[in-house]
Amino acid sequence: MRRFVTTLLALVTTTVAAPAYAVEQLPVGTDVDYQLGGVRAVPDRVGIVVRDRTEAPTGRYDVCYVNGFQTQPGARGFWRDRMHLVLQRDGRPVVDEDWGEWLLDLRTSAKRRQLARIVGRWTAGCARDGFDAVEYDNLDSFTRSHRLLKRRHAVAYARLLVRAAHRSGLAAGQKNLAGLRGSRIGFDFAVAEECGRYDECGRYVAAYGRRVVVVEYRRRDFRATCAEHGDRLPVVLRDRDLTPRGLRAWC
C-alpha cells in the first residue's frame, strides 16, 4: 500500500510539474536573419527569421518582434490615449534617448496587468498571422528609468508576457539582460544583441543551451563571436539600423 501511495504521489507531482503549454521550440543547427528594419529575401541557409509584428511571416521558424516594455516611435498617438501607462518624471514621459521611445510604467500590479492585456493582444495577433514565437524587446528598460522602475517590476511583468505568449501557442524569447536567467520565469530562448561585444554570450548559453540567437553590429565582435560560438549558435552580422539592403553576414 505504501508503495502504491508513493507511486501515485509521484504521478501527481509529475502531472502538476508538466508545462501547461505546447509550443514549437526554436530550432538549432540553422542560421538566423534579423529583419526588423524591413523585409528582404531569405537565403536557403536561414531557418530562423525575426520580423516586426506588422510584417508577414516567412514560413521558416518565424519570430515576431514586439516592443513589450517601451513604445514604438510611430505609436505615440496610441499611447497618448493611455498616458497613465507611460512612465513619467516631473509630468513628462521618460524617454529612451537612443531610440526616442517612451518607457512603460510597470510599477504597480494593476498597470502591469493592463499593459499585459494590450501586449497580449499583439501577441495573439502574431499567432494568428502564423508566427512561431515572439521576442519581447527592452526587458532592461528599468536601467534607463532614472531609478523609477526596479528589476522586480520588469521580472513580474515579464512573467505576464510569457504567459500571454504561451496561451497563444508561441515560444517566448528573452531579449537582452544577460544577468536575468529568464528560463526560470518561463522564457524558451534568448535573442542576444551584441553578447560577443559585451562578453555575455556564455550567460545566455548557460540558461538556454543552443537556443540563443545572436546579433552583432561590429565586424570585430562578429568575428570573435563566430570563433567562440559560431559552431553552436546562429550568429548574424547586421547594420545597426537593420535596413533591408544593409549589411548581413553569417559565420
Side-chain angles (χ1 to χ4, degrees), residues 29-226:
T30 186
D31 282 311
V32 63
D33 202 356
Y34 206 62
Q35 298 192 357
L36 301 190
V39 304
R40 69 197 295 181
V42 181
D44 291 339
R45 67 182 294 164
V46 169
I48 304 166
V49 181
V50 184
R51 283 184 172 177
D52 188 80
R53 68 183 181 88
T54 61
E55 303 290 355
T58 65
R60 314 287 175 97
Y61 187 91
D62 291 295
V63 180
C64 187
Y65 170 90
V66 173
N67 199 345
F69 293 74
Q70 298 182 180
T71 70
Q72 288 290 83
R76 287 193 173 182
F78 175 88
W79 290 106
R80 282 193 181 97
D81 294 334
R82 299 162 179 83
M83 285 301 292
H84 66 291
L85 297 176
V86 174
L87 187 67
Q88 297 182 50
R89 184 187 188 205
D90 298 328
R92 296 185 177 182
V94 177
V95 181
D96 178 343
E97 299 292 348
D98 287 342
W99 301 102
E101 300 174 356
W102 294 344
L103 275 62
L104 300 181
D105 191 348
L106 316 176
R107 290 176 293 181
T108 69
S109 59
K111 289 186 177 183
R112 291 193 293 268
R113 288 194 300 269
Q114 291 179 66
L115 288 165
R117 283 195 290 271
I118 292 170
V119 178
R121 289 196 292 270
W122 299 342
T123 302
C126 293
R128 287 193 301 271
D129 289 341
F131 284 90
D132 303 289
V134 57
E135 64 143 307
Y136 293 116
D137 199 9
N138 292 306
L139 175 59
D140 60 348
S141 69
F142 68 91
T143 66
R144 299 181 287 278
S145 70
H146 304 282
R147 300 185 179 180
L148 296 174
L149 297 176
K150 308 298 183 186
R151 183 190 186 94
R152 59 183 171 83
H153 299 144
V155 171
Y157 178 54
R159 283 196 178 96
L160 298 178
L161 297 187
V162 169
R163 290 173 193 165
H166 291 164
R167 282 196 301 268
S168 294
L170 301 181
Q174 175 185 341
K175 180 68 170 289
N176 295 326
L177 194 60
L180 174 70
R181 200 177 179 100
S183 56
R184 293 176 178 170
I185 63 173
F187 281 112
D188 302 289
F189 66 97
V191 177
E193 286 184 298
E194 298 189 286
C195 70
R197 177 178 181 179
Y198 297 108
D199 194 24
E200 296 174 337
C201 300
R203 300 170 80 177
Y204 291 109
V205 171
Y208 299 103
R210 297 184 67 185
R211 291 193 169 96
V212 180
V213 168
V214 181
V215 186
E216 297 289 351
Y217 298 112
R218 305 191 310 182
R219 286 190 181 275
R220 62 179 179 274
D221 303 321
F222 171 70
R223 289 192 293 268
T225 304
C226 285

Side-chain angles (χ1 to χ4, degrees), residues 232-246:
R232 300 184 70 244
L233 304 181
V235 183
V236 63
L237 174 65
R238 286 302 326 263
D239 57 297
R240 191 167 292 277
D241 291 331
L242 300 170
T243 52
R245 296 186 178 182

Side-chain angles (χ1 to χ4, degrees), residues 4-27:
F4 171 77
V5 171
T6 302
T7 303
L8 180 60
L9 286 173
L11 289 172
V12 170
T13 302
T14 302
T15 302
V16 171
Y21 63 92
V23 300
E24 183 180 353
Q25 293 292 344
L26 189 86

